[in-house]
């Protein structure tokens, strides 16, 4: 699996011949000013919830790439009202087969409203299972026992967890979350984009390493391979 970070909670993961893009928020992210929207490729775009910093660029990228957009029922309804046609709606606990493997939409402890205030359904995260590996993209969430359910049943190669605090869990709770998920490899997200979610990266690395975990913080635009 090849993973590229586009800032905030936006990653692409290439699995087999499919590119999965998560929570595109490039325009409006001052840290991602060097990323060109037109360079971003996607076959599928996954939206964890309706907040602006997760749906920000979905319409433009979907139109550029002809990707299928996957999210909860209410987020998809709203995106369809804005003209998107290649869509797939899910809801909590549902699993669906795609070209690259399966997606299960899981509970997140957060809120969800669209940028114009429309109700945005329940926020979630995406459990991705494929022949190349398995991972969990947690979206925006606080620490919740629900994460234990995933760790009980699936062996994850890595997990994308928010670590910026204030709106989501911070570093200390992300370490506990990774215990719940039974996963040692954590890719941090949802930090540093705004002053209120700025973290001390050295402290974060230190805390994860003391807990016996590997924290990866990617530079914006950086690509890594896992497996
Ligand atoms: Ni949010
Ligand atoms: Mn957010």
């Amino acid at each position: 699996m090849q993973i590229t970070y586009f800032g905030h909670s936006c990653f692409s993961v290439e699995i087999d011949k499919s590119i999965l893009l998560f929570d595109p928020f490039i325009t409006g992210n001052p840290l991602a000013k060097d990323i060109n929207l037109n360079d971003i490729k996607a076959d599928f775009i996954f939206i964890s919830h309706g907040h602006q910093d997760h749906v920000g660029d979905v319409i433009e990228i979907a139109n550029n790439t002809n990707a299928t957009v996957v999210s909860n029922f209410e987020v998809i309804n709203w995106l369809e009202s804005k003209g998107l046609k290649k869509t797939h709606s899910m809801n909590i606990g549902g699993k669906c087969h795609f070209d690259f493997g399966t997606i299960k939409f899981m509970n997140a402890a957060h809120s969800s409203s669209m940028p114009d205030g429309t109700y945005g359904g329940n926020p979630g995260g995406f459990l991705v299972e494929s022949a190349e590996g398995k991972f969990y993209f947690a979206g925006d969430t606080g620490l919740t026992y629900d994460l234990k359910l995933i760790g009980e049943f699936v062996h994850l190669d890595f997990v994308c967890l928010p670590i910026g605090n204030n709106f989501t869990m911070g570093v200390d709770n992300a370490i506990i979350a990774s215990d719940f998920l039974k996963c040692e490899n954590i890719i941090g997200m949802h930090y540093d984009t705004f002053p209120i979610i700025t973290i001390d990266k050295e402290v974060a690395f230190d805390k994860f390493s003391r807990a016996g975990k590997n924290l990866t913080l990617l530079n914006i635009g950086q690509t890594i391979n896992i497996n």
Side-chain angles (χ1 to χ4, degrees), residues 59 74-85 116 118:
I59 291 170
E74 290 80 5
V75 168
I76 291 299
N77 274 350
W78 187 83
L79 291 171
E80 287 174 347
S81 80
K82 303 291 174 194
L84 282 194
K85 291 191 169 59
D116 62 5
T118 304

Side-chain angles (χ1 to χ4, degrees), residues 50 56 112 116 140 185:
S112 178
D116 62 5
D140 280 5
N185 299 311

Side-chain angles (χ1 to χ4, degrees), residues 11 13-14 36 45 48 85 104 108 131 141 152 179 192 217:
F11 295 90
V13 182
E14 192 170 344
N36 185 344
I45 305 173
S48 64
K85 291 191 169 59
K104 196 170 181 185
T141 187
E152 287 297 320
D179 285 338
D192 281 4
L217 299 179

Side-chain angles (χ1 to χ4, degrees), residues 46-181:
F46 297 94
I47 305 295
S48 64
H49 64 294
H51 291 159
Q52 173 68 24
D53 58 320
H54 300 261
V55 300
D57 294 309
V58 61
I59 291 170
E60 185 162 355
I61 296 173
N63 286 334
N64 285 348
T65 59
N66 201 31
T68 300
V69 181
V70 182
S71 187
N72 75 27
F73 180 75
E74 290 80 5
V75 168
I76 291 299
N77 274 350
W78 187 83
L79 291 171
E80 287 174 347
S81 80
K82 303 291 174 194
L84 282 194
K85 291 191 169 59
K86 242 177 122 180
T87 54
H88 181 107
S89 67
M90 300 184 73
N91 215 327
I92 302 294
K95 190 178 203 173
C96 188
H97 289 260
F98 293 94
D99 298 344
F100 55 84
T102 64
I103 290 287
K104 196 170 181 185
F105 191 58
M106 306 299 287
N107 233 3
H110 194 67
S111 61
S112 178
S113 51
M114 308 313 301
D116 62 5
T118 304
Y119 173 60
N122 288 310
F126 296 98
L127 174 61
V128 182
E129 298 184 73
S130 76
E132 289 189 20
K134 301 177 183 185
F135 66 94
Y136 185 58
F137 175 88
D140 280 5
T141 187
L143 182 63
T144 161
Y145 254 45
D146 287 351
L147 296 167
K148 279 196 169 189
L149 277 175
I150 300 167
E152 287 297 320
F153 298 110
V154 184
H155 178 80
L156 299 169
D157 294 289
F158 70 94
V159 56
C160 297
L161 290 177
I163 56 170
N165 236 329
N166 194 75
F167 298 117
T168 66
M169 62 174 89
V171 167
D172 294 328
N173 280 179
I175 290 169
I176 298 170
S178 68
D179 285 338
F180 287 178
L181 290 158

Side-chain angles (χ1 to χ4, degrees), residues 189-204:
M189 63 182 185
H190 214 273
Y191 65 93
D192 281 4
T193 314
F194 314 111
I196 200 164
I197 57 171
T198 299
I199 66 162
D200 185 326
K201 294 195 198 60
E202 291 314 311
V203 168

